[in-house]
Amino acid sequence: MSKLSEFRAAERQLAAQLAQLEKMKQDSGLQKELAFNDALRALIDEYGLSNRQVLAILRSAPGS
């Protein structure tokens, strides 16, 4: 395969992946997960906790 045809194939793959990414960005479930992730990260930073500490807290919660 020539360099040009390899480049065009990579271009097509990238365009397909970008279209898939845009579609995913519109998903309300993903948007909720991203918002939760951002809020959790902000709380972790605010309280100065490590990921390990947060995991320990979550594991000790009732019902987990």
Side-chain angles (χ1 to χ4, degrees):
M1 186 181 287
S2 74
K3 293 287 183 186
L4 180 58
S5 54
E6 283 182 52
F7 175 78
R8 296 292 183 217
E11 241 180 0
R12 285 189 298 277
Q13 287 178 326
L14 179 58
Q17 289 176 335
L18 287 171
Q20 181 183 11
L21 181 62
E22 285 303 315
K23 184 178 177 182
M24 290 176 75
K25 284 181 180 180
Q26 302 306 317
D27 183 83
S28 64
L30 176 61
Q31 290 175 358
K32 288 177 185 177
E33 285 186 44
L34 289 170
F36 175 80
N37 186 60
D38 292 344
L40 181 58
R41 291 262 172 231
L43 285 170
I44 289 170
D45 290 343
E46 181 179 337
Y47 287 94
L49 298 173
S50 68
N51 290 342
R52 187 175 298 234
Q53 289 171 310
V54 172
L55 187 57
I57 291 168
L58 293 173
R59 285 185 174 156
S60 69
S64 54

